[in-house]
């Protein structure tokens, strides 16, 4: 519950992203909500195309809120090009969570490996030493118990990672509060989990996301980023784009009236 509240607060305030993009590389554009978004988005992406050759957007990375949005956008671009009897080389279209995935990483643990890693940690500790996390012993401490708890802990890690946090970082960020010691013990358990994966030559998937946000990479051939009508990207994804904006132009397309521009931050997120 604390992780969910923390994630919500991070999304609402924009905290969790320490990188501010250079104004020279970040531009906002507004597409009126008085007309349907999709045809406006197609017109925006094809604005410099005259129709005499294939529509080539292969050097553009477009960030959209959902996979369905991406499918509809690619279909609409193909239909637009067909109207000129031309083909289209579509942009690469992704959702914000894909910005924090290092697709070249070979060492990231699979979900099953992470669950088993947590289960091994939970099965090997003395619960007496972890009373802030386990105030009482479970009725039956077996593999099924460890696996159920492992699922809860991996979900907790994922919720925290959305805001750029690990379990071990919570106590230091939140300061002194009633559950400080519990979070310290959770951080220590997470460290044991990390060591367990490392012994198998793996890293945690959430740690991989944090590393990817710290050192984001664009696929070869991509030169420009467009954040298209995405009002609530993960803070960690914003951090990744902020770093990419130091070397690549970023266009933030907001689905709103331009007269409402003061109601949005420079990433296109509505201000509370």
């Amino acid at each position: 519950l604390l992780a969910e509240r923390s994630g919500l607060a991070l999304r609402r305030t924009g905290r969790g992203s320490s990188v501010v993009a250079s104004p020279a590389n970040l531009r906002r554009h507004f597409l009126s909500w008085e007309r349907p978004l999709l045809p406006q988005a197609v017109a925006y992406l094809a604005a410099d195309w005259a129709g005499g050759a294939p529509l080539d957007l292969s050097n553009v990375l477009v960030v959209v809120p959902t996979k369905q949005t991406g499918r509809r956008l690619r279909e609409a671009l193909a239909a637009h090009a067909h109207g000129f009897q031309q083909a289209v080389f579509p942009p690469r279209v992704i959702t914000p969570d894909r910005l924090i995935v290092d697709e070249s990483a070979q060492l990231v643990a699979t979900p099953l490996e992470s669950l088993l890693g947590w289960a091994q940690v939970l099965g090997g500790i003395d619960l007496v030493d972890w009373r802030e996390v386990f105030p009482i012993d479970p009725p039956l401490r077996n593999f099924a118990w460890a696996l159920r708890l492992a699922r809860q802990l991996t979900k907790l890690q994922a919720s925290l990672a959305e805001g750029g946090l690990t379990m071990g970082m919570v106590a230091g960020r939140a300061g002194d509060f009633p559950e400080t010691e519990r979070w310290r013990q959770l951080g220590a358990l997470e460290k044991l989990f990390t060591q367990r994966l490392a012994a198998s030559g793996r890293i945690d998937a959430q740690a991989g996301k944090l590393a990817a946000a710290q050192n984001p990479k664009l696929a070869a051939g991509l030169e420009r980023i467009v954040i298209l009508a995405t009002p609530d990207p993960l803070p960690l994804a914003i951090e990744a784009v902020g770093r990419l904006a130091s070397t690549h132009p970023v266009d933030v397309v907001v689905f709103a009236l331009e007269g409402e521009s003061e109601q949005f931050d420079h990433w296109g997120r509505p201000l509370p």
Side-chain angles (χ1 to χ4, degrees):
L1 179 60
L2 177 60
E4 291 174 359
R5 288 176 177 172
S6 300
L8 181 60
L10 285 165
R11 292 188 190 192
R12 285 178 174 170
T13 63
R15 291 195 298 269
S17 175
S18 58
V19 179
V20 178
S22 166
N25 282 341
L26 186 72
R27 298 171 296 183
R28 288 194 311 171
H29 310 268
F30 289 82
L31 302 181
S32 173
W33 56 33
E34 295 179 343
R35 299 189 303 277
L37 171 62
L38 190 57
Q40 291 189 87
V42 169
Y44 169 79
L45 290 171
D48 297 328
W49 181 60
L55 174 57
D56 188 0
L57 297 171
S58 59
N59 66 341
V60 181
L61 176 68
V62 180
V63 181
V64 295
T66 66
K67 291 181 179 179
Q68 176 66 8
T69 306
R71 286 192 289 269
R72 293 188 63 197
L73 178 63
R74 287 190 292 268
E75 290 171 356
L77 286 169
H80 181 66
H82 181 69
F84 292 84
Q85 298 300 305
Q86 292 290 351
V88 59
F89 297 103
R92 182 176 183 192
V93 185
I94 64 172
T95 51
D97 58 297
R98 301 303 300 174
L99 287 165
I100 49 177
V101 175
D102 185 355
E103 297 181 349
S104 66
Q106 302 296 319
L107 303 179
V108 174
T110 65
L112 179 58
E113 288 172 333
S114 293
L115 284 175
L116 293 176
W118 269 117
Q120 290 173 346
V121 168
L122 296 169
I125 60 175
D126 186 345
L127 299 187
V128 173
D129 299 327
W130 306 89
R131 283 307 183 202
E132 293 298 324
V133 180
F134 306 99
I136 59 174
D137 291 343
L140 183 61
R141 188 181 177 190
N142 55 16
F143 180 74
W145 166 82
L147 193 61
R148 284 195 303 271
L149 190 54
R151 289 192 177 97
Q152 294 177 7
L153 291 171
T154 54
K155 289 180 181 178
L156 174 59
Q157 286 181 302
S159 296
L160 290 169
E162 290 182 357
L165 298 172
T166 64
M167 290 185 193
M169 296 167 63
V170 172
R173 292 286 186 91
D176 189 23
F177 67 110
E179 294 205 359
T180 297
E181 186 55 35
R182 187 181 189 201
W183 279 102
R184 285 176 180 157
Q185 288 194 7
L186 283 168
L189 283 173
E190 186 179 49
K191 186 174 181 180
L192 293 178
F193 164 70
T194 301
Q195 292 170 351
R196 175 73 66 173
L197 289 184
S200 302
R202 294 288 185 268
I203 64 171
D204 174 49
Q206 309 309 324
K209 290 179 182 179
L210 294 171
Q214 291 289 321
N215 185 30
K217 301 174 183 177
L218 281 183
L222 294 177
E223 301 173 358
R224 173 187 168 210
I225 302 170
V226 176
I227 300 178
L228 180 61
T230 304
D232 189 27
L234 301 177
L236 199 60
I238 287 297
E239 180 172 346
V241 178
R243 294 181 184 278
L244 290 169
S246 64
T247 54
H248 297 79
V250 176
D251 294 303
V252 178
V253 180
V254 185
F255 188 38
L257 298 174
E258 191 161 5
E260 299 285 339
S261 61
E262 293 185 359
Q263 304 301 320
F264 298 85
D265 70 8
H266 54 268
W267 294 111
R269 298 175 295 188
L271 296 174

